Amino acid sequence: MCLAVPGRVLDIAGADLLTRVGRVDFGGVVKEISLAYTPDAEVGDAVLVHVGFAITVLCEAEAARLLAELESLGEWGGGEGDP
Amino acid sequence: MRFREVYRDGAAARRCAAAIARSLTRPWTLMEVCGGQTHAIVRYGVDRLLPEGIELIHGPGCPVCVTPVGYVDQAIGLAERPEVILCSFGDMLRVPGSRGDLLAAKSRGADVRMLYSPLDALALARAEPERQVVLFAVGFETTAPATAMAAYRAKREGIANFSLLVAHVRVPPAMRALLEAPDNRIQGFLAAGHVCTVMGYEEYFPIAERYGVPIVITGFEPLDILQGVQRCVAQLERGAAEVDNQYARAVARQGNLAAREVMAEVFTVAERRWRGIGAIADSGLKLTPAYADWDAEYRFGIVTEAPEAVGICRSGEVLSGACKPTDCAAFGTRCNPERPLGVTMVSSEGACAAYYRYRGTAAGTDR
Amino acid sequence: MSGECSLSGPEADCIQLAHGGGGRAMARLLESLILPIFDDPELDRRHDGAVFEVAGPLAFTTDAYVVRPLEFPGGDIGSLAVNGTVNDLAMCGAEPRYLSVGLILEEGLPLAVLRRVLVSMRDAARAAGVRLVTGDTKVVDRGKADGLFINTSGVGRVLAPAAIGPARVVSGDVVILSGDIGRHGMAVMAVREHFDFESTIESDCAALAVPVAALFAAGVTVHCLRDLTRGGLASALVEIAEAAVVHIEIEESRIPVRADVGAACELLGLDPLHVANEGRFIAVVPERDAELALRVLRARHITAGAVAVGVVRPAPAGQVFCRGELGVSRVIDMLSGEQLPRIC
């Protein structure tokens, strides 16, 4: 359940918080998405989109941290090769 | 898009699986709650990478699957009215009620439309003032804010020819219900990441404490799930039962406040039956009295309970994790996506459908 | 089909029931619109059927086209109708020659749309080197035909030295895919109501006869050909595995999917393996001919992206497996029913 897809905000239209929409790029395809629930979203932000709504701005710092954690798994385990 | 491919890297996945194997001193049984997570596990073979000793039980995380028969029947009944345009998400159109599904009703002439977003239904209502547009709103708390916005704007803009048949469900009460079951084997949870994107994870602290189970808020890509398992197992190995957020790039502790605010205005909590499981207190959402004029149940009739088909189908047990699809005698033989016996085979998010699609039927797929 | 239709004056601007009646209105439609666009001497003879000679064993095929919307990025129902039948003939190892065209027009179809579709058919036929030599026109009541349905049948001369088909597929054969997948399905989806999105994805609708003929000319032994249409790569592979009673194993990382097509699929929750194509095929060839086959295909524009995606094995027979990014295999099967975008 809850297929939500990441995309990048290209531009934003609408002053009213409720009806604010953004054109979001999902890697070559662009769709107009409601930004009603991400009032702080700015052009260039990565957002998570579910049924036409951005439900959060993705935190790139946290994403980088997770990937670094996954990288470090190999190091201290070391020398075990692939199962 | 940087937020996708990197989470599917084979080498990183194998390193993570190896780390889990190293940390294991005894077997553990975990449940991943969300259907999307089940889908990813089966599709990418995450369960095949995990060491022996880690069992993943698939949770009832398919809101399409758990929608009670009565709601589907009501939706079909509404769709058959000539003035009604019945709108819902794609998956919902194939879920069987007492007398067929919405797609079958469509083939008999009912006006049934598939949507991408609840706002599409509102736009339809504006475009077709002579018709009654009904949104059959299904989904977890992830989807509820979108439905809430459609209702909120309908009221604000005075769109009278629009109503909602609300069948949203909430995850935390279902987790409690599973933990209360006498034959419960769940020792740790991978909680539904996108539900928590909206709701935050405050609700999980009392559950972790009361039942002594670690709860790791987990994402949907294979590496998210592997890291979720790794962190859950690490807790189990040291005897901890904490709430931990693996999906921090998308989940904050308080969730999405703007979404929760609109949801609180539009919805109230109610008891709801989960198909195959039974009634769970506080597990459903329904429209508040302030939105009674947009409630399809007030406008057209209250949903009545309808009996679930009894027989060889073990959907209910699959939904509660009591059995795997492959444990069912009908799996792949009498029951398949073309001739499904139960909801878990009908919905593409259902565990049976995921197994059938990515694993086939038993023999020859072990590698 | 809702549409404004000017009924006043001698020239209506959309199709009326009279156009299918076999009388003056129909004759006028043929003379003033259809025949001048198709511009074929055989058609111009206005005979009940076309007469021609083709030497050698023949391939014969038919198909109906009901795509909605009628026009989409990269093509329309017309180019689809010509290329689809041309490609079926090519998959039989034949050089396509002559096509018939059956038009079922809905009352109210704007003539401007019909004109564009007919031009599209003529251009596709010319590009594919085939002639449209006989046809039929019918009109049905408003509401009965989504605007326009087309049936095309085709005749071609068999080039393949030996019969091609699943029966010749054997263990050890290599499965070659002629190019990236999913463009057609997503191009159509992009203009479907509610699911529309901005993209530059265009249908891959194209004729495949030339690259296929090149394979034979180069002496490549071809065991089986299958073009990918509805149901995508998955359906084509499963059909062959089941008919030939063999096992096919493909590598996910080898399957080319353009980034934007992949993104569109993710957005709608669709699997590229199941998405429709209209200008792609798979060729199953013996291992020793795989290199040559790839060289021949890559030298041609429409098949420049050809790649070997998998191999044929004896067991488990009738099944197709796909080895994924994590190194684990999953079963590939045909979809049951229509592909409904997975949203939640």
Side-chain angles (χ1 to χ4, degrees):
Chain A
M1 178 58 198
C2 322
L3 175 70
V5 183
R8 211 160 275 287
V9 179
L10 294 178
D11 45 60
I12 299 178
D16 185 52
L17 284 182
L18 214 57
T19 53
R20 204 163 159 260
V21 290
R23 280 175 64 244
V24 177
D25 178 9
F26 296 95
V29 298
V30 175
K31 197 159 167 62
E32 193 175 85
I33 297 296
S34 167
L35 299 178
Y37 292 133
T38 48
D40 299 332
E42 293 170 11
V43 172
D45 280 347
V47 291
L48 198 60
V49 176
H50 175 67
V51 299
F53 285 80
I55 55 175
T56 191
V57 174
L58 286 164
C59 179
E60 318 228 15
E62 284 294 343
R65 202 153 74 87
L66 183 156
L67 293 171
E69 252 175 66
L70 287 166
E71 279 293 308
S72 75
L73 278 179
E75 286 156 22
W76 51 261
E80 303 224 323
D82 288 354
Chain B
M1 184 94 233
R2 231 177 37 256
F3 285 100
R4 267 205 315 272
E5 287 76 27
V6 287
Y7 301 102
R8 297 175 191 172
D9 175 57
R14 285 190 291 279
R15 278 202 306 275
C16 199
I20 296 169
R22 281 194 298 274
S23 68
L24 214 57
T25 63
R26 47 159 291 194
W28 299 110
T29 300
L30 311 181
M31 170 178 275
E32 92 279 353
V33 175
C34 192
Q37 292 165 332
T38 308
H39 198 83
I41 288 167
V42 182
R43 185 194 195 281
Y44 291 99
V46 170
D47 51 341
R48 294 249 171 87
L49 284 183
L50 291 172
E52 292 271 330
I54 301 286
E55 190 195 342
L56 288 179
I57 300 184
H58 309 309
C62 170
V64 164
C65 296
V66 304
T67 302
V69 179
Y71 279 91
V72 180
D73 289 347
Q74 182 79 339
I76 292 175
L78 290 177
E80 285 169 344
R81 289 177 177 236
E83 76 275 21
V84 169
I85 301 178
L86 192 293
C87 307
S88 196
F89 299 123
D91 284 28
M92 224 34 235
L93 305 190
R94 267 202 290 246
V95 173
S98 308
R99 2 172 234 114
D101 57 35
L102 281 164
L103 267 191
K106 181 176 196 296
S107 74
R108 292 191 302 269
D111 196 340
V112 175
R113 315 255 182 120
M114 187 164 57
L115 308 163
Y116 169 66
S117 166
L119 290 182
D120 294 337
L122 202 54
L124 200 53
R126 287 190 203 100
E128 307 247 15
E130 306 300 310
R131 307 284 300 282
Q132 281 285 333
V133 175
V134 179
L135 172 63
F136 186 13
V138 185
F140 287 142
E141 297 100 313
T142 323
T143 316
T147 303
M149 183 57 69
Y152 186 83
R153 290 184 58 177
K155 181 170 175 178
R156 232 173 79 127
E157 296 168 34
I159 299 174
N161 62 323
F162 175 71
S163 60
L164 302 95
L165 179 62
V166 176
H168 284 302
V169 281
R170 298 180 59 232
V171 165
M175 288 166 66
R176 283 179 188 270
L178 291 169
L179 289 166
E180 290 281 351
D183 53 351
N184 169 52
R185 296 187 297 120
I186 305 164
Q187 294 167 305
F189 276 105
L190 302 186
H194 292 143
V195 168
C196 294
T197 299
V198 171
M199 299 302 293
Y201 50 89
E202 283 294 346
E203 297 172 273
Y204 298 90
F205 290 97
I207 301 177
E209 189 180 318
R210 162 94 200 266
Y211 298 95
V213 286
I215 300 177
V216 179
I217 317 302
T218 305
F220 294 76
E221 296 293 342
L223 282 183
D224 287 317
I225 295 168
L226 281 164
Q227 201 185 40
V229 171
Q230 195 231 335
R231 285 156 84 141
C232 201
V233 168
Q235 283 201 45
L236 288 167
E237 286 289 332
R238 67 173 195 269
E242 295 153 6
V243 178
D244 174 29
N245 184 8
Q246 180 278 335
Y247 201 27
R249 67 188 187 275
V251 177
R253 184 162 170 155
Q254 77 275 23
N256 183 321
L257 292 174
R260 291 176 65 189
E261 203 179 300
V262 178
M263 279 174 68
E265 147 101 21
V266 172
F267 294 124
T268 181
V269 165
E271 185 188 82
R272 181 66 50 75
R273 281 191 65 79
W274 287 50
R275 192 165 180 167
I277 297 178
I280 303 179
D282 296 339
S283 70
L285 291 176
K286 65 177 192 188
L287 291 170
T288 58
Y291 282 81
D293 287 345
W294 288 269
D295 191 331
E297 288 195 67
Y298 277 99
R299 192 175 293 194
F300 298 105
I302 308 288
V303 171
T304 50
E305 228 169 87
E308 290 169 30
V310 188
I312 190 179
C313 172
R314 299 177 70 185
S315 267
E317 292 172 82
V318 171
L319 280 169
S320 62
C323 83
K324 292 244 171 6
T326 38
D327 297 331
C328 172
F331 177 78
T333 53
R334 289 188 42 196
C335 182
N336 59 47
E338 253 107 77
R339 288 182 327 270
L341 293 182
V343 279
T344 44
M345 184 63 87
V346 168
S347 167
S348 55
E349 292 285 357
C352 295
Y355 267 66
Y356 190 91
R357 188 160 152 200
Y358 298 122
R359 297 283 155 87
T361 44
T365 57
D366 272 313
R367 45 210 31 245
Chain C
M1 267 238 47
S2 60
E4 308 290 311
C5 200
S6 159
L7 293 173
S8 58
E11 292 295 328
D13 57 8
C14 47
I15 293 291
Q16 294 157 71
L17 285 173
H19 285 124
R24 283 278 161 228
M26 177 156 156
R28 260 205 307 277
L29 183 70
L30 279 171
E31 274 158 21
S32 65
L33 190 64
I34 301 177
L35 296 180
I37 290 176
F38 284 160
D39 191 25
D40 188 284
E42 192 61 33
L43 262 184
D44 289 342
R45 292 199 307 122
R46 313 259 315 252
H47 210 58
D48 283 336
V51 178
F52 51 80
E53 265 194 46
V54 179
L58 299 181
F60 178 47
T61 186
T62 191
D63 234 321
Y65 299 86
V66 298
V67 69
R68 188 173 51 86
L70 295 178
E71 298 174 283
F72 45 84
D76 59 27
I77 189 174
S79 51
L80 224 59
V82 168
N83 288 325
T85 291
V86 161
N87 292 345
D88 281 345
L89 290 171
M91 295 302 112
C92 297
E95 175 194 52
R97 290 292 198 81
Y98 302 107
L99 257 55
S100 72
V101 180
L103 301 172
I104 299 178
L105 311 171
E106 184 187 348
E107 182 190 8
L109 172 72
L111 286 180
V113 173
L114 179 58
R115 178 184 303 274
R116 285 197 297 273
V117 169
L118 295 175
V119 167
S120 193
M121 293 185 78
R122 177 201 64 202
D123 292 346
R126 286 198 183 144
V130 298
R131 287 173 56 190
L132 304 170
V133 293
T134 189
D136 177 63
T137 308
K138 292 287 183 299
V139 178
V140 295
D141 294 301
R142 195 178 289 271
K144 303 293 187 193
D146 266 354
L148 167 61
F149 293 152
I150 302 181
N151 160 263
T152 48
S153 296
V155 162
R157 186 174 64 92
V158 175
L159 298 173
I164 44 180
R168 289 192 54 210
V169 172
V170 292
S171 177
D173 280 355
V174 170
V175 178
I176 293 176
L177 171 59
S178 72
D180 67 286
I181 59 174
R183 290 197 209 177
H184 177 77
M186 298 325 284
V188 171
M189 209 38 116
V191 292
R192 278 266 175 92
E193 207 192 353
H194 300 319
F195 295 98
D196 57 298
F197 49 85
E198 290 170 42
S199 83
T200 50
I201 302 174
E202 292 198 338
S203 170
D204 54 340
C205 179
L208 301 169
V210 167
V212 168
L215 286 174
F216 295 121
V220 173
T221 306
V222 177
H223 285 168
C224 189
L225 295 170
R226 187 67 48 116
D227 65 338
L228 312 189
T229 56
R230 286 189 186 181
L233 176 61
S235 284
L237 290 171
V238 171
E239 276 168 17
I240 293 177
E242 286 178 353
V245 195
V246 294
H247 175 71
I248 298 179
E249 206 165 273
I250 58 176
E251 277 280 339
E252 181 135 40
S253 58
R254 301 254 190 102
I255 298 171
V257 180
R258 233 169 60 169
D260 52 357
V261 173
C265 287
E266 288 260 356
L267 185 60
L268 298 181
L270 300 172
D271 186 342
L273 288 180
H274 293 119
V275 175
N277 304 268
E278 288 291 336
R280 299 285 180 262
F281 68 96
I282 48 178
V284 184
V285 302
E287 196 190 346
R288 67 176 182 275
D289 281 4
E291 274 302 320
L292 175 60
L294 283 170
R295 260 206 316 278
V296 169
L297 291 175
R298 286 175 182 161
R300 270 151 196 89
H301 173 65
I302 214 87
T303 48
V307 63
V309 295
V311 289
V312 177
R313 300 243 178 276
Q319 292 202 302
V320 179
F321 290 173
C322 178
R323 220 173 82 97
E325 289 104 325
L326 267 50
V328 180
S329 283
R330 69 181 202 273
V331 172
I332 300 297
D333 200 355
M334 295 195 245
L335 283 186
S336 55
E338 199 183 317
Q339 199 176 28
L340 298 175
R342 187 164 67 89
I343 305 303
C344 59

